[in-house]
Amino acid sequence: MVLDKISSLAKLYISEEEREKYEQDMQTIIEYVDRISTLDTDNIEALIDINDNELLLREDIVEPSGLSYLEDTFVVPRTIE
């Protein structure tokens, strides 16, 4: 059964009481997926984004960091004596 495979992969112990409930839930989910897979979506445009808002970007502002450089590395103050 699918539930046995899932519980094994997830390393979950499922009691008999839980198993009955989860099997019913899984069956409901599978029936729903089967039902929506029969819908005709040929004339429906794919939804890429629910918002039509344009992404607002700001210009990067480079501020001096106060760091010193030595060759290709940063020089930082000593923190441990």
Side-chain angles (χ1 to χ4, degrees):
M1 172 125 239
V2 175
L3 188 58
D4 292 331
K5 176 104 172 147
I6 292 172
S7 63
S8 172
L9 291 172
K11 299 191 182 318
L12 296 174
Y13 170 76
I14 300 176
S15 68
E16 285 303 316
E17 182 180 295
E18 291 173 317
R19 181 173 304 281
E20 290 175 18
K21 180 190 179 319
Y22 291 144
E23 283 178 353
Q24 289 173 359
D25 290 347
M26 292 285 289
Q27 187 61 37
T28 302
I29 292 168
I30 291 169
E31 287 171 4
Y32 181 72
V33 170
D34 285 343
R35 204 168 126 211
I36 63 173
S37 68
T38 62
L39 295 175
D40 180 19
T41 58
D42 290 339
N43 297 324
I44 298 176
E45 185 177 342
L47 177 64
I48 296 172
D49 190 2
I50 60 171
N51 296 318
D52 288 336
N53 300 340
E54 184 177 325
L55 183 61
L56 303 175
L57 300 176
R58 64 175 175 81
E59 188 173 329
D60 288 338
I61 300 171
V62 179
E63 297 178 0
S65 64
L67 295 176
S68 301
Y69 300 94
L70 177 63
E71 295 179 8
D72 292 338
T73 60
F74 295 109
V75 178
V76 296
R78 174 176 243 150
T79 57
I80 301 176
E81 298 294 330

